[in-house]
Amino acid sequence: MTWDGSPAPVRPVNQHLWKKFVHIAQPYFSPLVRGGGWITVLLMGLLLVWVFVLLFLCVAAVTLAGHHLNPTLTDTIAPGLSDLLHSFWDSSGVLLVIAGLVLPIGGFLAFGRQVRSRWQPWALLALVLFLSIAVTGINVGFSYIGNFFTNALVHKDQAQAYLFVGVYFAGFLLGIPIVALYGYMQSSLGLRWREWLTDNFLGAYFQGRTYYDIEITAKIDNPDQRISEDIRTFTRVTLSFLLILLASFMDVVSFAGILWAKSHLLVGVVLAYSLIGTLLTVLMGRRLVRLNYDQLRYEADFRYALVHVRDNAESIAFYRGEAQEVQRISSRFLRVLRNYNLLIGWQRNLSFLTTAYRYLPVVLPYLVLFPQYFSGKIEFGDMTQANFAFAQVYGALSLVVSQIQDITSFAAGVDRLAAFTDTMIPETAPPERIQSEEAPQLALENVTLLTPNAQRTLVEHLSVHLPPKACLIIVGPSGVGKSSLLRAIAGLWQQGTGLIRRPALDTMLFLPQRPYMILGVTARAIAVPRDAPGRQ
């Protein structure tokens, strides 16, 4: 909202959303320097490789240790895995493992100056990635457990069935702390990121009285919401999407091989099905970005009107302005309802597509595998494992379809934060401003003062020199810029030309038209000790 209560101009969501996202997200991990974005992406890729190799070594060590202690049990639970690992260590594959450990460390050492002061975010990110890949590995293990358990039931092999029930519970006990710690570390990283990003935005918001310029020029609406809610959503959803993308990539890599081993046709079906669904969802979901952007703005306008009543309760009661306040609040709430009605309408239309898209894969892999199963080429456990793998790959490739509503809301939030950043740190050179100098007495030399939006001239070619201990009363009709001249002397309004000489602002006192005192100091400022002289 603008200073006079009119709606602020809306910045439409444009096509440079990715650049805006990088400009906001990158500084937490790497400085905004030339080529810094590519360096950050490279380091994240190297970190992912290093974490993956580290987890591979952990799994290999556990498997080989189990085979050494009880080879029969290990070969029953994971048939052929120990032999595969032994052959891997005897091949040139060990060089890939060594490279996967050494190259990422070398990359971080090479760019150490840029990330040395940000080692905590990188360490937390490494731990979160490690736990994310571990969760994917647990899902792969459960797919094989389900395969062997189902085959044991079909063959009525009681010993095997009980064995894999025990293996399932062992994996369940292992997975509980990993999944719980994974969620906690993700939230912890998001919390620290939010703290850092909020401090940066607050620093820029208060630097050079930017908060005042934003309020009087109305370049953006509701900066309070952008700092409190949009930053919180940005950090939380960015991490969530990053880990969802990682999990989706790992699911495709891990389960596509299982699908390929069961049926080549099934791989082609899941790829084509996911691609078609994604394209249709993107076409239908584009409108949601605009509607989510407007919804964030209208909700913030409505909340601001309610806060305005709380901050001015006494004045409203004195002047009996209840009717006007109710009318303003109701009009803003009406905009909330109208836009939300459009939003849920488009979500309904999109739901027709996503619901049908989500239900068909329940039977689709069975239809593809029926010929092989009934001909005896695969067992029932293979078909259930293929169905599980199909669901994982389908879910990974259908990320846009499943997350389209969150993506559109997130895109609107990114654009709002980017607009806030652009407003606080403009890329264009500032227009000509009134110059200020410190001097013992107040003097104005050829000052021409404009409104903050430079659309109206308030004072033109004014020159005044105030002698020491002199008094000056500024009079004139309403709207000629009397209080605006004081704002210019205080350095609040600077649009115009000329020179103002004045004592240091710390030695001057300006009384605003609206009473103000810093929150929390009122009682201390007016409290009088009980034994003070003259206290009645």
Side-chain angles (χ1 to χ4, degrees), residues 96-114:
L96 294 177
V97 174
I98 296 175
L101 290 175
V102 174
L103 289 180
I105 296 176
F108 274 88
L109 291 177
F111 300 104
R113 288 180 298 178
Q114 295 188 7

Side-chain angles (χ1 to χ4, degrees), residues 340-391:
Y340 190 69
N341 185 53
L342 291 174
L343 180 61
I344 61 176
W346 276 89
Q347 290 175 344
R348 174 206 59 207
N349 297 338
L350 186 62
S351 181
F352 287 133
L353 171 65
T354 56
T355 302
Y357 180 81
R358 187 170 58 250
Y359 283 142
L360 183 58
V362 175
V363 297
L364 188 57
Y366 288 109
L367 293 176
V368 176
L369 293 175
F370 273 170
Q372 297 183 59
Y373 174 69
F374 288 120
S375 64
K377 293 182 180 179
I378 60 174
E379 297 188 27
F380 184 73
D382 295 322
M383 191 160 62
T384 57
Q385 184 185 16
N387 182 65
F388 180 79
F390 183 92

Side-chain angles (χ1 to χ4, degrees), residues 63 66-83 141 143-152 157-168:
T63 303
H67 186 265
H68 177 74
L69 297 175
N70 194 335
T72 303
L73 179 62
T74 304
D75 289 339
T76 303
I77 296 174
L81 182 57
S82 59
D83 294 335
S143 74
Y144 281 98
I145 293 173
N147 185 354
F148 299 147
F149 175 73
T150 305
N151 286 334
D157 189 339
Q158 184 176 354
Q160 286 285 89
Y162 280 113
L163 173 63
F164 282 103
V165 168
V167 173
Y168 173 80

Side-chain angles (χ1 to χ4, degrees), residues 25-94:
Q26 180 191 326
Y28 185 57
F29 297 97
S30 179
L32 284 173
V33 296
R34 184 177 181 84
W38 292 109
I39 293 175
T40 305
V41 172
L42 175 62
L43 291 178
M44 286 188 174
L46 292 175
L47 182 64
L48 180 60
V49 171
W50 187 79
V51 168
F52 182 82
V53 172
L54 184 63
L55 183 62
F56 169 77
L57 292 177
C58 293
V59 174
V62 171
T63 303
L64 295 177
H67 186 265
H68 177 74
L69 297 175
N70 194 335
T72 303
L73 179 62
T74 304
D75 289 339
T76 303
I77 296 174
L81 182 57
S82 59
D83 294 335
L84 181 62
L85 290 174
H86 280 109
S87 62
F88 178 82
W89 293 119
D90 296 334
S91 67
S92 58
V94 68

Side-chain angles (χ1 to χ4, degrees), residues 132-246:
S132 176
I133 298 176
V135 171
T136 302
I138 291 174
N139 289 332
V140 174
F142 279 150
S143 74
Y144 281 98
I145 293 173
N147 185 354
F148 299 147
F149 175 73
T150 305
N151 286 334
L153 292 179
V154 172
H155 297 151
K156 298 183 178 180
D157 189 339
Q158 184 176 354
Q160 286 285 89
Y162 280 113
L163 173 63
F164 282 103
V165 168
V167 173
Y168 173 80
F169 277 107
F172 183 71
L173 293 176
L174 176 65
I176 287 176
I178 292 178
V179 173
L181 188 60
Y182 169 58
Y184 169 77
M185 294 308 303
Q186 177 183 347
S187 300
S188 180
L189 178 57
L191 179 65
R192 285 166 173 76
W193 193 0
R194 180 188 179 187
E195 178 185 9
W196 184 91
L197 197 58
T198 301
D199 288 342
N200 274 16
F201 269 80
L202 284 176
Y205 186 54
F206 283 97
Q207 184 178 11
R209 292 172 174 166
T210 303
Y211 64 92
Y212 183 79
D213 294 337
I214 290 176
E215 181 68 18
I216 62 175
T217 57
K219 294 180 180 179
I220 60 171
D221 61 274
N222 303 295
D224 55 313
Q225 184 204 39
R226 300 179 193 235
I227 294 177
S228 61
E229 295 186 13
D230 289 349
I231 290 180
R232 180 194 61 192
T233 303
F234 177 84
T235 54
R236 178 178 56 84
V237 178
T238 296
L239 283 177
S240 178
F241 281 163
L242 173 63
L243 297 174
I244 288 175
L245 286 172
L246 172 62

Side-chain angles (χ1 to χ4, degrees), residues 406-455:
D406 291 338
I407 291 174
T408 54
S409 299
F410 177 66
V414 170
D415 195 78
R416 288 173 61 82
L417 283 179
F420 193 21
T421 303
D422 294 342
T423 301
M424 292 189 297
I425 309 175
E427 298 180 357
T428 58
E432 186 177 6
R433 294 177 178 269
I434 299 174
Q435 303 300 313
S436 298
E437 293 181 358
E438 289 191 7
Q441 288 83 37
L442 178 65
L444 283 72
E445 297 183 3
N446 198 28
V447 171
T448 296
L449 177 63
L450 310 178
T451 55
N453 55 15
Q455 295 182 353

